[in-house]
Amino acid sequence: MAIIRIGDNNWREFLPENGILERTVLYGSPEARALGMVPIEDTLDVLIPWDDMKERIDEANRKRQMPVHYLEAANHAPHNQGGTNYCWAYGITLCLEALRLMENQPYRRLGPASLGWLVDWRNRGHYLSSAIKGMWERGVASAEFCEDGTTDRETFKAGWEDDALNHKLHEWTDTDSSDDEHMAQQCASLLVAGLPLYEAFNWWKHALARVGVVWDEKERYNLRWIDWNSHGDGRIEMTGSRGIPDEAYAPRVSTVSL
Amino acid sequence: MRRLTFSLMLVLGMIGGLATAADAPGVVSTTVPPAAVPPAADLAAMAVIDGPTESVAGQLVVFDAASSTGTGYDWLVSADVNTDGLWQVFEDGRYLAFASPIPGKYRIVLSVAVEGQSNVVELTFQNGEPGPPPDPPPFPPGQKWQVVIVYESAQLDNYSPEQQSIIKSLTFREQVTAAGHKILSGGIIDQGAPSRTGEPPKSLAPYLAAAKSKSLPRLCISAMTGGTVQTFPLMADEAAVLNFLNGVK
């Protein structure tokens, strides 16, 4: 199956979804910090200089040190949110699934629908910041407890809430989206450092996970992004101005559950 | 700073042999200013500093004022950090020994005098970032290891690209496994990663404990049969780690 690529030439073909509410918690604010979203300048502030970007990205792909390499090596099947507006849950869950592999934890398929409590089990979009808080508080259950594409917790297997405590994300790096080029540099630097990105696009009203980047001199900033979508497609690619997320958060530590 | 204290005898020995730290690899040396010896009749004070203009933090360097014309050597070392205890003069002030663990620019100032006239010269010295620690001695070939790498995820950007690759590269993990070693489950771990109880995960706790309070990133190993956990500063690149685990010199 051909990989979907979304760029400035075709983005209008992708209709806005109802998966996210635009960010209201300001970058670097006390509220953001209280949610565990640490500004990038506090932690991973040493960005890859643009002059070195090609070499570093090529090297990271050659050594397979980005989340996409782990997902593909694990034959991670795409999630499918179906008719739900839970992309905010699927995006953050994919980040956790990838981070676990990069921490050398055993592969574990998780059930994003178990985060539905955050919207009171209604079929609603949500804030990424609230999803980050909810993931930290209660975690996400294994897929064996809850299938994709539902908002009905009655279909979940007993014990899902306890199982979810094994799968949390604890530490995050927040990015500064005030400038597109700077945002691209931050995203590429974090991916090369081996961190997934939980991201959202306001034009698309959609959240997903960014898991890789390729140096491509035909594209804006010479970057072609690899994202993991939740419509049964898994890997897609994004380019151009529409490929720069409006918010992106890099989870750095997950619960160790072996 | 510690190097300064234990190196007094070394300094004196170096001075005696007219060798300076400029002879060491990675040290750039210069003479400030270029030699311009005045006629004897017009003998005037002239301060001259022979010594390196850059080195690496923690390395001992010596500045030499012996080419100066004059007496009464007065030295001053200044920087953005407190330089107390980082330097000392010897041989009636003709030599200054300096060592600092703090990278940055340091100003080395020398003043000499002849019959009430003084001359001052200044040298700017760049104390660079220390290089990676030397690799530990190899183990006997054939030994297989359980491997854990402990790091701080909030410091990933401060690790070299090669060390980031050791931590994150899937290809490297496959090479370690192919060599017969075992990276433990969950064994690429942030120092603060909790289990669901909030405590360190049991199977990794001995490795985290061994790495606690030590510099990160850190390679932790134990024999396949268990036993004592040994920890080492993470080597410079993937090849160095593999060579170390495989006992290759």
Side-chain angles (χ1 to χ4, degrees):
Chain A
M1 189 172 66
I3 293 173
I4 296 169
R5 184 179 297 180
I6 303 171
D8 289 338
N9 60 329
N10 67 344
W11 65 275
R12 288 185 178 81
E13 297 170 18
F14 297 85
L15 299 175
E17 304 191 10
N18 293 307
I20 60 157
L21 300 174
E22 293 185 14
R23 178 172 184 163
T24 56
V25 178
L26 296 178
Y27 173 79
S29 65
E31 293 79 8
R33 290 177 184 274
L35 294 170
M37 294 148 48
V38 180
I40 193 167
E41 63 259 30
D42 281 12
T43 51
L44 305 177
D45 59 318
V46 183
L47 303 182
I48 299 173
W50 283 108
D51 288 347
D52 298 340
M53 194 65 85
K54 177 183 188 306
E55 180 185 354
R56 293 290 303 277
I57 288 175
D58 288 349
E59 185 80 344
N61 279 304
R62 189 177 67 77
K63 293 181 175 179
R64 297 189 295 155
Q65 65 186 53
M66 295 192 214
V68 64
H69 302 121
Y70 286 80
L71 292 167
E72 292 185 340
N75 293 314
H76 183 62
H79 284 287
N80 194 333
Q81 66 186 80
T84 73
N85 292 318
Y86 281 11
C87 61
W88 52 270
Y90 286 78
I92 196 171
T93 299
L94 191 283
C95 286
L96 175 50
E97 290 170 325
L99 188 60
R100 281 179 53 85
L101 291 169
M102 303 194 78
E103 293 170 336
N104 215 46
Q105 296 201 54
Y107 174 75
R108 192 162 297 165
R109 188 172 180 79
L110 301 172
S114 61
L115 289 165
W117 65 272
L118 279 161
V119 289
D120 201 20
W121 307 105
R122 296 176 184 178
N123 188 16
R124 285 184 175 172
H126 201 39
Y127 298 103
L128 271 59
S129 55
S130 295
I132 287 171
K133 181 171 182 284
M135 174 68 93
W136 176 71
E137 289 176 344
R138 299 193 193 179
V140 60
S142 303
E144 62 189 85
F145 289 89
C146 51
E147 295 182 351
D148 283 0
T150 184
T151 60
D152 182 5
R153 63 178 152 165
E154 299 303 320
T155 65
F156 294 179
K157 287 183 183 174
W160 69 270
E161 289 170 294
D162 182 71
D163 182 75
L165 299 175
N166 293 310
H167 315 117
K168 297 180 177 180
L169 288 165
H170 299 275
E171 296 181 18
W172 293 82
T173 292
D174 196 357
T175 56
D176 176 4
S177 63
S178 59
D179 174 84
D180 270 5
E181 185 174 358
H182 184 48
M183 187 63 164
Q185 187 181 19
Q186 293 170 79
C187 290
S189 298
L190 293 167
L191 290 164
V192 168
L195 296 170
L197 294 171
Y198 179 38
E199 61 178 354
F201 297 88
N202 292 343
W203 67 266
W204 200 1
K205 299 289 184 202
H206 190 41
L208 56 168
R210 177 149 287 175
V211 292
V213 62
V214 174
W215 185 263
D216 185 340
E217 296 182 0
K218 295 189 296 292
E219 305 298 346
R220 185 178 177 89
Y221 306 127
N222 301 316
L223 301 175
R224 175 158 45 89
W225 306 102
I226 301 170
D227 302 89
W228 207 271
N229 202 12
S230 52
H231 290 304
D233 40 5
R235 175 175 175 155
I236 66 169
E237 296 184 353
M238 299 185 75
T239 60
S241 60
R242 301 291 163 172
I244 306 299
D246 293 287
E247 47 188 309
Y249 311 90
R252 293 185 276 103
V253 181
S254 80
T255 307
V256 181
S257 173
L258 309 176
Chain B
M1 186 155 40
R2 282 177 305 189
R3 297 187 68 142
L4 185 63
T5 56
F6 74 69
S7 299
L8 175 58
M9 294 185 65
L10 172 65
V11 173
L12 295 173
M14 292 167 73
I15 292 168
L18 290 181
T20 73
D23 299 319
V27 175
V28 177
S29 185
T30 191
T31 299
V32 179
V37 181
D42 301 327
L43 195 63
M46 177 172 286
V48 178
I49 301 174
D50 287 325
T53 54
E54 62 182 64
S55 183
V56 294
Q59 185 164 350
L60 179 70
V61 292
V62 176
F63 298 94
D64 177 353
S67 300
S68 303
T69 302
T71 58
Y73 306 98
D74 285 325
W75 294 88
L76 176 68
V77 178
S78 66
D80 291 337
V81 298
N82 184 357
T83 62
D84 291 349
L86 301 182
W87 57 283
Q88 195 162 341
V89 296
F90 301 96
E91 299 275 315
D92 297 326
R94 278 183 293 165
Y95 300 98
L96 180 147
F98 169 88
S100 170
I102 306 168
K105 282 188 177 175
Y106 291 78
R107 292 170 61 233
I108 314 293
V109 180
L110 169 67
S111 170
V112 297
V114 171
E115 295 179 353
Q117 288 190 323
S118 64
N119 183 246
V120 178
V121 66
E122 175 183 326
L123 179 151
T124 300
F125 173 76
Q126 180 67 43
N127 204 32
E129 295 286 345
D135 292 340
F139 289 106
Q143 176 85 44
K144 304 302 180 190
W145 301 103
Q146 300 184 88
V147 177
V148 170
I149 295 174
V150 182
Y151 67 104
E152 171 49 62
S153 65
Q155 295 292 325
L156 267 174
D157 60 330
N158 294 323
Y159 302 160
S160 70
E162 292 79 12
Q163 287 187 319
Q164 289 182 27
S165 294
I166 294 171
I167 295 167
K168 297 290 186 174
S169 165
L170 179 56
T171 300
F172 172 68
R173 293 183 198 182
E174 292 170 348
Q175 291 170 338
V176 171
T177 302
H181 310 291
K182 181 182 180 184
I183 301 177
L184 290 189
S185 184
I188 308 294
I189 186 169
D190 180 280
Q191 62 174 338
S195 66
R196 65 176 281 163
T197 64
E199 297 297 315
K202 281 185 181 173
S203 62
L204 299 171
Y207 300 87
L208 290 166
K212 192 172 183 180
S213 303
K214 297 194 170 94
S215 63
L216 299 180
R218 206 148 192 95
L219 177 71
C220 307
I221 60 172
S222 65
M224 285 293 190
T225 52
T228 305
V229 174
Q230 303 177 70
T231 81
F232 307 90
L234 191 62
M235 292 77 191
D237 57 30
E238 301 102 301
V241 176
L242 279 170
N243 285 340
F244 174 69
L245 294 173
N246 293 335
V248 176
K249 292 183 180 178

